[in-house]
């Protein structure tokens, strides 16, 4: 298999980029919010767009498309941001495109931002898939490896120097996956000229969702004063009725900033304050952050206002919601605030018609409504970090999160090498840096179904899990296994065993009668060997909405329901022992690559892709509310449907 220019170029670009991020991360990544000292300007909307169809996908760089308006170097089309670009046009070549695409937008920057030299102007991309390079007025300001996580650049200097307003933002995004990206992938050139045209190549992947690409989350411009709060870390605990909030504030742009921290309750009353960059705030009569359906007053958030003032009087203000709660794991239980927590929830995807993985408020709010309607108390961000706004919703609604990094499809032994590990560690740092202050996040998942029985996996997961614990000792760490036989080499390092299985689907298709024996064996194998609590992190069956048969047959709603019922019978026994959760695969149908096993995507959703319930959703709803009624303290309004 020969390597062409495109492949070589892709490799060079990726290696250079990955090496540049191998060192520990510098600085924070606070969510941009407005405050008396900060302004935010959203650059979402219509951007100009062109895919680089040149044979090696490199024409944009050769012709320096960032140097002049994109429309001057070739045709452009409208492209919404945020959105995946794949399903926006009628062109299959854009849907299935692999390589560099170019986005451009002119944005007016308020004159006062530029004139006031005490103002920092930051350009921030919520996420772009996969590898991005950013220019402002033709000057490169940053690059970033990896989708699903934010990146930003201080563009004050470039804006003041070029003096061009509106400023022209250009973003080139490449969705090529290699053995060292997360998720990994390979580019395969088809060199048999009797079967494929010259230059024909495909992207191979080992994961089961469409590799949507583009600018998936908002592009923002925001300001801070020169003295600015760069990062805040909070860790919480409590003793009796006293809540303790350890905080650490990092301030840049001043050698001796004065820092003031104020914690306020819902009614605005100040409950604790301090005047230092780090310390512990004591909250008497604390209101703990409780999960939905576990307490009468769930999801209580305090508001922590941080003020940093420089010697010249310039002040920055940032406000962070803070939930006070603890997480502990024993050999049979998962404890939130020292009370057993049972995960009855879902696995999700960021996925919808037309916009693909583009952030969309109506979809986010609808999904939370459905989650609460079902009586679910948790979800896993399978198979990558979700938008920050989704975690903020989870904080506010008390939905518990297992926060997963994009380590999905690590099946090739070459993806366990040093370069892959270095990148994986960096991604975990980026994830923890972004999500460390969310009370909803109780566990980090470092990977999904890696080939963890391969010899290098022992070292790989030891490093990955221990590094994640060194970044955050207040949460549990796991990865998701698909072994029924407890053969993983990474398992000794995790706190909770999360196991996926598809009995009567991928194994013994059509035979739901074997679920009980096989699931019991799976649980006993894992618990017998590791004595750690277990979550059934995936189980399910495809159901094409509207298909029925009795007795049930595969792909009908009835079969999906029967599979679920058989799993539930075993869960109900084992949750009295060491099973601490069940997460259905999947919340909703979602798009995948085309294959002979997928009918326009994966149909294991209990909701359709348009969020209409299948029979399985009603079954889960009965079950989840019943479990909540047994285990939680429900407010009267929440007693439906089992009084
Ligand atoms: C799995 C994967 C998930 C797939 C699912 C399936 O084990 O973790 O990404 O979509 O199975 O439906 O095959």
């Amino acid at each position: 298999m020969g390597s062409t220019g495109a492949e070589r170029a892709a490799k060079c670009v990726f290696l250079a980029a990955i090496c540049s991020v191998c060192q520990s991360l510098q600085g924070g990544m606070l969510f941009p919010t407005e405050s008396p000292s900060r302004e935010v300007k959203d650059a979402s909307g219509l951007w100009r767009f062109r895919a680089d169809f040149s044979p090696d996908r490199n024409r944009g760089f050769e012709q320096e498309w960032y140097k002049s308006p994109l429309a001057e170097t070739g045709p452009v089309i409208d492209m919404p941001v945020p959105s995946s670009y794949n399903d926006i046009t009628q062109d299959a070549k854009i849907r299935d495109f692999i390589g560099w695409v170019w986005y451009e937008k002119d944005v007016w920057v308020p004159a006062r931002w530029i004139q006031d030299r005490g103002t920092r102007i930051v350009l921030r991309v919520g996420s772009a898939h996969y590898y991005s390079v950013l220019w402002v007025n033709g000057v490169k300001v940053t690059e970033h490896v990896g989708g699903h996580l934010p990146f930003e650049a201080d563009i004050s200097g470039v804006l003041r120097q070029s003096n061009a307003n509106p400023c022209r933002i250009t973003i080139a995004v490449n969705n090529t996956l290699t053995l060292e990206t997360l998720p990994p992938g390979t580019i395969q050139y088809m060199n048999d000229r009797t079967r494929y045209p010259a230059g024909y190549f495909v992207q191979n992947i080992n994961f089961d969702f469409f590799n949507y690409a583009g600018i998936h989350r908002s592009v923002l411009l925001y300001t801070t004063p020169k003295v600015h709060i760069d990062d805040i870390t909070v860790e919480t605990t409590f003793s009796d009725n006293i809540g303790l909030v350890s905080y650490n504030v990092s301030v840049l742009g001043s050698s001796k900033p004065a820092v003031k921290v104020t914690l306020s309750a819902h009614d605005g009353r100040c409950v604790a304050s301090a005047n230092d960059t780090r310390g512990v705030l004591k909250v008497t009569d604390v209101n703990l952050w409780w999960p939905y359906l576990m307490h009468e007053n769930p999801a209580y958030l305090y508001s922590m206002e941080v003020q940093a003032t420089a010697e010249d009087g310039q002040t920055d203000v940032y406000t962070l919601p803070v939930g006070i709660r603890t997480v502990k794991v024993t050999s049979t239980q998962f404890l939130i605030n020292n009370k057993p927590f049972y995960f009855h929830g879902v696995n999700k995807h960021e996925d919808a018609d037309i916009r693909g993985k583009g952030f969309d408020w109506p979809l986010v709010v609808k999904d939370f409504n459905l989650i609460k309607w079902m009586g679910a108390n948790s979800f896993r961000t399978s198979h990558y970090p979700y938008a920050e706004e989704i975690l903020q919703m989870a904080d506010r609604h008390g939905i518990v999160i297992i926060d997963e990094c994009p380590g999905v499809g690590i099946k090739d032994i070459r993806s366990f090498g040093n370069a892959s590990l270095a990148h994986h560690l960096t991604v975990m740092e980026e994830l923890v840096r972004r999500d460390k202050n969310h009370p909803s996040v109780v566990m980090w998942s470092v990977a999904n179904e890696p080939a963890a029985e391969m010899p290098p996996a022992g070292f790989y997961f030891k490093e990955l899990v221990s590094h994640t614990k060194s970044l955050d000792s207040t949460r549990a760490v796991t990865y998701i296994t698909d072994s029924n036989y407890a053969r993983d080499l990474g398992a000794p390092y995790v706190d909770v065993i999360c196991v996926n299985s598809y009995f009567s689907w991928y194994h013994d298709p059509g035979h739901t009668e074997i679920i009980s024996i096989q699931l019991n064996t799976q649980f006993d194998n894992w618990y017998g060997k590791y004595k750690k609590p277990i979550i059934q992190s995936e189980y399910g069956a495809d159901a094409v909405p509207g298909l029925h048969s009795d007795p049930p047959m595969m792909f009908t709603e009835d079969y999906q329901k029967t599979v679920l019922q058989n799993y539930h019978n075993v869960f109900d026994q084992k949750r009295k022992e060491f099973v601490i959760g069940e997460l259905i695969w999947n919340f909703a149908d979602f798009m995948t690559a085309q294959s002979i096993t997928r009918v326009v995507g994966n149909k294991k959703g209990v909701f359709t892709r348009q969020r209409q319930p299948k029979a399985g959703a009603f079954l889960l709803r009965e079950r989840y509310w019943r479990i909540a009624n047994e285990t939680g303290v429900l407010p009267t309004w929440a007693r439906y449907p089992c009084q």
Side-chain angles (χ1 to χ4, degrees):
M1 198 178 73
S3 150
T4 71
E7 202 174 23
R8 282 194 302 276
K11 268 190 195 146
C12 292
V13 168
F14 279 112
L15 288 182
I18 286 169
C19 289
S20 73
V21 293
C22 283
Q23 319 85 7
S24 257
L25 291 183
Q26 301 290 314
M29 191 55 70
L30 290 174
F31 185 75
T33 54
E34 298 197 308
S35 83
S37 60
R38 294 175 173 232
E39 290 181 70
V40 179
K41 189 176 161 80
D42 197 338
S44 304
L46 279 190
W47 287 54
R48 291 179 284 275
F49 176 91
R50 183 188 310 143
D52 182 348
F53 281 105
S54 62
D56 65 359
R57 304 290 195 253
N58 216 27
R59 185 166 300 149
F61 286 93
E62 284 156 15
Q63 298 184 347
E64 302 179 315
W65 288 353
Y66 47 90
K67 283 232 163 123
S68 54
L70 203 52
E72 288 179 11
T73 50
V76 290
I77 59 171
D78 286 341
M79 190 55 68
V81 170
S83 177
S84 302
Y85 58 73
N86 309 77
D87 293 344
I88 295 296
T89 75
Q90 295 307 100
D91 188 349
K93 290 204 301 301
I94 289 195
R95 183 189 63 201
D96 301 328
F97 184 77
I98 300 157
W100 289 103
V101 299
W102 293 72
Y103 285 81
E104 181 195 75
K105 188 174 175 78
D106 297 329
V107 180
W108 285 101
V109 182
R112 65 179 187 286
W113 289 12
I114 299 183
Q115 281 150 15
D116 177 3
R117 294 193 165 258
T119 293
R120 266 176 84 238
I121 308 165
V122 182
L123 174 61
R124 187 193 211 255
V125 179
S127 80
H129 190 73
Y130 178 84
Y131 175 49
S132 314
V133 187
L134 263 73
W135 295 262
V136 172
N137 294 332
V139 179
K140 182 172 161 187
V141 292
T142 194
E143 61 191 90
H144 183 257
V145 185
H148 319 288
L149 287 164
F151 51 97
E152 60 182 35
D154 181 338
I155 59 168
S156 329
V158 176
L159 287 178
R160 286 186 184 120
Q161 232 161 39
S162 66
N163 223 359
N165 209 353
C167 76
R168 183 165 42 82
I169 303 175
T170 313
I171 308 183
V173 188
N174 191 332
N175 61 349
T176 309
L177 300 176
T178 71
L179 288 166
E180 279 133 26
T181 57
L182 277 187
T186 49
I187 295 287
Q188 185 179 0
Y189 280 84
M190 304 303 204
N191 294 326
D192 179 350
R193 288 290 153 267
T194 63
R195 299 173 65 209
Y196 302 98
Y200 195 86
F201 65 94
V202 291
Q203 169 88 75
N204 295 318
I205 50 175
N206 266 319
F207 53 87
D208 183 36
F209 53 92
F210 194 87
N211 189 30
Y212 278 115
I215 303 178
H216 284 154
R217 300 183 190 147
S218 303
V219 179
L220 302 176
L221 288 167
Y222 73 90
T223 64
T224 74
K226 219 176 211 159
V227 59
H228 62 279
I229 298 154
D230 178 56
D231 201 8
I232 306 172
T233 308
V234 296
E235 289 182 4
T236 66
T237 184
F238 66 94
S239 167
D240 299 323
N241 69 336
I242 312 275
L244 299 169
V245 179
S246 308
Y247 71 89
N248 191 353
V249 177
S250 120
V251 179
L252 297 179
S254 159
S255 54
K256 260 193 149 196
V259 171
K260 192 169 167 222
V261 179
T262 316
L263 196 72
S264 307
H266 268 180
D267 55 8
R269 193 173 34 95
C270 166
V271 293
S273 64
N275 292 307
D276 220 333
T277 50
R278 57 171 67 202
V280 181
L281 301 170
K282 282 195 184 153
V283 187
T284 45
D285 292 327
V286 64
N287 275 306
L288 296 177
W289 185 94
W290 287 98
Y292 174 58
L293 303 180
M294 199 174 172
H295 192 265
E296 289 184 356
N297 184 17
Y300 192 95
L301 293 173
Y302 291 89
S303 174
M304 182 166 141
E305 185 188 272
V306 180
Q307 281 190 29
T309 307
E311 296 86 328
D312 62 2
Q314 199 186 36
T315 298
D316 188 23
V317 183
Y318 190 91
T319 302
L320 182 77
V322 171
I324 302 177
R325 58 109 187 86
T326 58
V327 170
K328 284 188 198 112
V329 182
T330 71
S331 61
T332 55
Q333 288 183 318
F334 196 92
L335 304 173
I336 295 183
N337 300 335
N338 300 329
K339 295 255 166 59
F341 176 77
Y342 186 76
F343 294 78
H344 44 92
V346 301
N347 289 279
K348 291 189 87 265
H349 262 300
E350 288 183 319
D351 175 89
D353 288 328
I354 302 172
R355 61 212 25 76
K357 293 201 177 305
F359 180 80
D360 182 32
W361 270 119
L363 184 75
V364 171
V365 176
K366 178 74 176 174
D367 281 3
F368 272 85
N369 286 337
L370 290 176
I371 284 168
K372 293 178 85 171
W373 173 87
M374 282 175 89
N377 63 2
S378 50
F379 67 83
R380 163 176 164 231
T381 70
S382 42
H383 289 308
Y384 37 78
Y386 293 178
E388 291 158 282
E389 292 87 340
I390 295 178
L391 298 184
Q392 290 163 1
M393 285 284 281
D395 291 343
R396 289 181 39 246
H397 290 272
I399 302 299
V400 169
I401 303 290
I402 300 174
D403 202 353
E404 188 154 294
C405 93
V408 52
I410 308 177
K411 300 287 190 194
D412 188 311
I413 198 159
R414 291 169 294 173
S415 292
F416 284 105
N418 287 343
S420 296
L421 179 58
H423 179 55
H424 208 147
L425 295 174
T426 303
V427 171
M428 285 315 300
E429 288 184 17
E430 287 188 34
L431 177 61
V432 174
R433 170 175 74 169
R434 191 195 74 161
D435 293 348
K436 62 190 170 186
N437 294 325
H438 289 286
S440 55
V441 175
V442 298
M443 181 147 55
W444 306 109
S445 162
V446 299
N448 178 68
E449 297 184 358
E453 70 295 345
M454 283 186 184
F459 174 75
Y460 194 94
F461 283 100
K462 186 171 180 209
E463 291 297 303
L464 204 49
V465 172
S466 71
H467 189 63
T468 307
K469 285 179 187 262
S470 76
L471 299 169
D472 175 17
S473 59
T474 69
R475 293 177 171 88
V477 182
T478 192
Y479 72 88
I480 315 290
T481 180
D482 58 352
S483 158
N484 306 321
Y485 303 105
R487 284 194 193 124
D488 282 21
L489 301 173
Y493 310 108
V494 301
D495 297 312
V496 173
I497 305 286
C498 287
V499 51
N500 299 345
S501 56
Y502 289 91
F503 305 125
S504 81
W505 192 262
Y506 294 119
H507 315 279
D508 304 293
H511 293 282
T512 52
E513 67 279 6
I514 53 73
I515 291 175
S516 167
I517 181 168
Q518 296 194 2
L519 187 56
N520 271 301
T521 305
Q522 166 202 283
F523 284 141
D524 293 342
N525 283 345
W526 278 104
Y527 195 75
K529 188 151 175 193
Y530 292 105
K531 303 278 181 292
K532 293 182 187 188
I534 303 177
I535 296 178
Q536 182 74 37
S537 41
E538 288 180 25
Y539 71 105
D542 287 72
V544 177
L547 275 194
H548 289 281
S549 76
D550 185 26
M553 287 184 79
M554 291 176 77
F555 292 100
T556 63
E557 293 194 35
D558 315 276
Y559 191 87
Q560 185 185 50
K561 227 174 120 177
T562 308
V563 170
L564 269 49
Q565 277 160 335
N566 277 280
Y567 268 81
H568 296 165
N569 292 340
V570 180
F571 297 157
D572 281 339
Q573 289 311 310
K574 296 293 183 187
R575 71 190 167 94
K576 295 182 198 137
E577 301 175 40
F578 49 77
V579 168
I580 57 163
E582 54 187 86
L583 304 175
I584 185 73
W585 189 265
N586 191 285
F587 172 73
D589 294 345
F590 58 90
M591 194 46 71
T592 63
Q594 298 184 62
S595 85
I596 50 167
T597 58
R598 295 289 175 254
V599 191
V600 192
N602 186 310
K603 295 282 188 275
K604 293 196 187 65
V606 292
F607 295 96
T608 65
R609 202 182 191 204
Q610 295 71 33
R611 276 45 181 181
Q612 294 306 319
K614 303 181 195 172
F618 293 102
L619 177 82
L620 281 179
R621 183 174 192 229
E622 290 287 327
R623 173 173 177 78
Y624 285 176
W625 282 100
R626 193 172 61 247
I627 295 176
N629 275 288
E630 269 170 36
T631 57
V633 182
L634 306 194
T636 14
W637 58 264
R639 295 234 168 92
Y640 183 84
C642 302
Q643 299 282 347

